[in-house]
Amino acid sequence: MKKIYSQIFILILLSFVIHINHVFGQKDTTKLNKEVEVIKPYRPNISTANKLNQLPVIEDTARFTPEFNYSIDSRPISSAFKSGPVSIQELKAEADQNNGIGYLKLGAGMYNSTYGDFFLSNNKCKNGSYGLHLKHFSSQGTTKLSKGDIVDSPYSNNKGEIYGNQIIGGSTLSGNLSYDRDVFRYYGYPDVIPVFSSLKPPLLGEKQQFQKAKIQVGLKSNDDSKNLLKYKSGLWYHFFDSKTGQQEKAIGLSADFNYQFEKFKGILETSYEHYTTNGLLDTTINTIDNKSVGLLKLAPSAQFSGENWVFSGGFSLYSVGSNLVGEDDIKLYPKIEFTFSPVKDILTLYAGINGYLQNCNYSAISYENNWVNPVHNVLNEDHQYILSGGLKGKINKEFNYKVELKYENVNDMHFYVLRSINQASPFTYNNSFDLVYDNTGITNFSAELSYVKDRDYYFLLKGNYYNYTPDHLSFAPQMPDFDIEGTAGIRLNAKITGFTDMKVTGERYGLIITPGENMKINLKPVYQLNVGADYELKSNFKIFGRIDNLLNQHYEQYTGYTSQGLRLIAGITFSF
């Protein structure tokens, strides 16, 4: 197996020009009235899985460059709505709007919160762009738990990033170097867990710290290239470590090609990733061990198209090799998609079947649930097949819509649970999350509607209904039955803009496993509302303010971990 992997690795490395997703040329998002078109159903991965933020997150309030993301996540761990620019593209767009090369934002607010955001870019260069982005947000406040206890819950999020891209002939060379540092505590526990004397959860009050450094290099053919062969390729490396001693080193390369033949387009997607992680729990022998795993993906397909239809068919092959017993795997999935547009732009019908093997690597799981057991070793999820279909299009120039129905069958889907750590009463409970697995069917009905009016007004509204049917569990821990989220912005005049975000997450249930009867914990629905505005004092100077969690709800993200309440943030923005 190792010999095969080394040969494949060398073949890909020599044959393909390197590429990495997320570091392609910058998109122009400076126009609000751009047409939003969904090409195909979203293919989720765990690094983008939504979740409730552990505490409200401050983002920028000047958001008149919305980039609507028409995506439905198949792992709907509920998330607080994340407002403001969340990508280099949007940051660059704001710098363009200010007709300058960057900005500096400084703010402070309740819960001893501090906020800083610095962006610098040579955005006026025709053949490329280069930039620097630094960001900090921290809170030293406390949190009220569900049983009324007040606990310290300080945290901080820091990010630094240098990026650039350069047009070279008919290609674009891109690069990105980033560093993230997140610090927080294991501060929570549900009210059914007694916290006194020797019964305290082992990690209560302990600090956790994640650091991740990543470098990415990519090369892609430009969209306007007249060559029949189009490609995008890249190479990346990251190093991740935690305060609890786990480290992850990973490297990956990918190369995607499409070639226009006379009557059809041939498409080939390839990638290889290798992860080495130490300090994990090997459940087969119940000891701490190191893990080394390689993942290969090959996905060839052919695309045929007519005047108002597109059909593509192929397959995706995944191969996994691991040093741990029982984790080697080979999977083959169908990859078929069909779209039909009876009324151009107004109505498009689509349907498809596909699947994928989800790489549940250590760092991705740590970011998905900060309070997961530090020695976790999560099984990969086998998304055996995903049946999807729906319709999308435009009501008029300003209104876009999408309606979709999807059914997914997942083997070894993971769920987060709390567990007692001794076998006799009175029990001692962990307040870090373990995982249980079950084969699960997921039905997801979703609808989306957006409206953009010139540069003065926009809104986006999305809703999902979920039905989970695990084979053995009586319910799907932590998963909601529905969620609704929306955002809207308005330009009141030349100097004042405002926004509002809302997120409603349906009822969920947590699971606490004991030697006796397991406990099912009700997690109340979440109603989150954020509002904010900014005022332009001068052409390059603004003041901003925002209120997060306006309804002052101390909602639980995961069992026992509640959020801070209402929070006010205010600050200044200086553009240059």
Side-chain angles (χ1 to χ4, degrees):
M1 180 65 73
K2 291 183 177 179
K3 184 177 180 181
I4 294 175
Y5 276 135
S6 63
Q7 292 174 345
I8 295 175
F9 184 89
I10 294 172
L11 178 62
I12 295 176
L13 186 61
L14 293 177
S15 303
F16 299 151
V17 184
I18 56 175
H19 163 76
I20 182 64
N21 295 328
H22 310 306
V23 291
F24 301 150
Q26 303 296 318
K27 294 183 290 182
D28 181 8
T29 57
T30 60
K31 296 182 179 179
L32 273 176
N33 58 353
K34 67 178 181 179
E35 296 182 352
V36 181
E37 179 66 19
V38 183
I39 303 301
K40 53 189 176 183
Y42 176 63
R43 293 182 176 81
N45 58 71
I46 200 165
S47 63
T48 59
N50 286 335
K51 66 175 184 178
L52 281 170
N53 295 316
Q54 61 180 27
L55 297 167
V57 176
I58 182 71
E59 296 287 355
D60 178 45
T61 59
R63 298 181 302 126
F64 276 80
T65 54
E67 184 173 333
F68 296 139
N69 179 18
Y70 282 79
S71 62
I72 304 299
D73 291 339
S74 64
R75 275 193 62 82
I77 295 180
S78 314
S79 66
F81 192 84
K82 199 171 186 180
S83 59
V86 293
S87 68
I88 288 297
Q89 286 89 348
E90 292 178 76
L91 290 168
K92 181 179 183 295
E94 181 173 340
D96 290 342
Q97 281 189 308
N98 292 329
N99 297 317
I101 61 173
Y103 62 75
L104 172 66
K105 300 176 184 291
L106 298 173
M110 299 168 61
Y111 297 99
N112 294 318
S113 301
T114 56
Y115 169 61
D117 193 359
F118 175 76
F119 176 70
L120 179 66
S121 173
N122 69 329
N123 56 296
K124 294 184 179 182
C125 181
K126 292 183 179 180
N127 295 323
S129 62
Y130 308 89
L132 169 68
H133 181 219
L134 304 173
K135 192 167 188 178
H136 164 82
F137 183 71
S138 64
S139 170
Q140 303 301 318
T142 58
T143 299
K144 182 180 180 180
L145 301 183
S146 57
K147 65 184 299 183
D149 293 343
I150 305 297
V151 296
D152 290 330
S153 56
Y155 72 98
S156 68
N157 305 116
N158 302 276
K159 183 179 184 66
E161 187 169 23
I162 301 173
Y163 76 93
N165 62 73
Q166 182 69 39
I167 297 175
I168 304 174
S171 303
T172 298
L173 176 66
S174 305
N176 184 285
L177 176 64
S178 64
Y179 171 76
D180 294 87
R181 181 178 181 271
D182 299 330
V183 183
F184 56 93
R185 287 188 183 179
Y186 295 90
Y187 66 85
Y189 51 86
D191 55 13
V192 298
I193 296 181
V195 182
F196 57 86
S197 185
S198 62
L199 300 180
K200 290 184 178 180
L203 291 176
L204 183 62
E206 292 295 317
K207 180 188 291 187
Q208 179 63 289
Q209 174 181 287
F210 295 153
Q211 295 186 97
K212 185 175 183 179
K214 187 170 187 178
I215 184 170
Q216 307 172 90
V217 179
L219 187 67
K220 67 179 283 287
S221 56
N222 296 332
D223 295 336
D224 59 356
S225 172
K226 296 182 180 180
N227 294 333
L228 295 178
L229 177 65
K230 301 291 180 64
Y231 66 89
K232 52 182 180 179
S233 58
L235 174 70
W236 60 267
Y237 170 84
H238 84 231
F239 174 80
F240 172 91
D241 77 349
S242 66
K243 190 176 185 298
T244 47
Q246 289 72 34
Q247 291 185 342
E248 177 183 88
K249 300 175 183 178
I251 188 170
L253 58 88
S254 64
D256 299 344
F257 300 92
N258 69 75
Y259 186 86
Q260 185 64 55
F261 294 90
E262 289 186 2
K263 296 184 178 181
F264 71 96
K265 180 185 293 185
I267 301 170
L268 177 62
E269 301 174 12
T270 69
S271 65
Y272 179 82
E273 301 175 357
H274 188 273
Y275 293 81
T276 301
T277 313
N278 60 26
L280 302 184
L281 179 65
D282 185 347
T283 55
T284 59
I285 55 178
N286 202 33
T287 59
I288 301 299
D289 203 351
N290 298 336
K291 180 178 181 179
S292 179
V293 60
L295 301 97
L296 173 69
K297 174 188 174 182
L298 296 173
S301 61
Q303 184 181 93
F304 302 85
S305 60
E307 183 178 352
N308 59 354
W309 60 272
V310 177
F311 173 82
S312 63
F315 64 87
S316 299
L317 174 68
Y318 290 78
S319 180
V320 181
S322 174
N323 66 321
L324 299 185
V325 176
E327 294 198 11
D328 287 354
D329 211 350
I330 296 179
K331 295 290 182 179
L332 186 67
Y333 305 95
K335 187 180 179 183
I336 300 173
E337 296 175 359
F338 177 74
T339 63
F340 173 63
S341 300
V343 185
K344 185 178 179 181
D345 295 334
I346 303 301
L347 176 63
T348 297
L349 307 175
Y350 66 91
I353 177 173
N354 58 20
Y356 63 96
L357 186 67
Q358 178 60 63
N359 173 21
C360 297
N361 61 77
Y362 183 88
S363 60
I365 294 296
S366 297
Y367 285 123
E368 183 180 82
N369 182 348
N370 288 168
W371 304 287
V372 68
N373 191 318
V375 297
H376 66 269
N377 174 32
V378 183
L379 299 178
N380 291 330
E381 286 185 348
D382 177 13
H383 296 250
Q384 291 190 315
Y385 60 87
I386 305 170
L387 301 172
S388 62
L391 52 94
K392 61 193 176 183
K394 300 175 182 296
I395 300 175
N396 56 36
K397 184 179 180 180
E398 289 84 18
F399 278 101
N400 294 266
Y401 68 90
K402 178 182 178 184
V403 179
E404 181 177 89
L405 180 63
K406 179 166 60 178
Y407 179 79
E408 186 170 2
N409 190 70
V410 187
N411 280 355
D412 292 326
M413 185 171 181
H414 63 266
F415 302 96
Y416 296 105
V417 302
L418 295 175
R419 191 187 301 270
S420 65
I421 57 176
N422 59 357
Q423 300 298 312
S425 182
F427 299 122
T428 304
Y429 296 89
N430 249 323
N431 68 331
S432 62
F433 289 85
D434 287 328
L435 298 107
V436 295
Y437 303 90
D438 205 348
N439 299 336
T440 306
I442 309 171
T443 302
N444 174 208
F445 175 75
S446 63
E448 306 178 2
L449 180 67
S450 72
Y451 175 81
V452 178
K453 180 64 175 177
D454 299 324
R455 296 178 58 84
D456 296 323
Y457 182 78
Y458 70 87
F459 80 79
L460 170 66
L461 183 65
K462 304 195 297 184
N464 291 277
Y465 167 77
Y466 308 100
N467 182 44
Y468 295 88
T469 55
D471 285 354
H472 303 291
L473 294 170
S474 60
F475 64 96
Q478 307 291 338
M479 296 301 187
D481 53 359
F482 76 91
D483 61 50
I484 302 170
E485 68 180 77
T487 182
I490 185 169
R491 187 179 299 278
L492 298 176
N493 55 44
K495 292 184 175 294
I496 301 176
T497 59
F499 78 90
T500 181
D501 298 327
M502 71 88 168
K503 174 83 181 211
V504 179
T505 303
E507 193 173 49
R508 297 161 294 141
Y509 294 93
L511 178 61
I512 301 179
I513 297 177
T514 70
E517 184 178 359
N518 294 337
M519 290 180 280
K520 183 179 181 181
I521 309 299
N522 179 265
L523 303 177
K524 296 179 180 180
V526 176
Y527 305 96
Q528 184 161 349
L529 180 64
N530 307 326
V531 296
D534 62 4
Y535 178 76
E536 185 177 300
L537 295 174
K538 296 183 179 180
S539 60
N540 63 342
F541 188 77
K542 296 179 181 180
I543 58 174
F544 70 84
R546 63 178 290 148
I547 301 175
D548 289 326
N549 198 2
L550 184 62
L551 302 179
N552 197 30
Q553 184 184 16
H554 296 271
Y555 59 83
E556 291 183 86
Q557 173 194 354
Y558 291 105
T559 309
Y561 283 86
T562 57
S563 72
Q564 293 176 347
L566 180 148
R567 182 178 61 196
L568 172 65
I569 291 280
I572 59 173
T573 301
F574 175 70
S575 303
F576 49 87

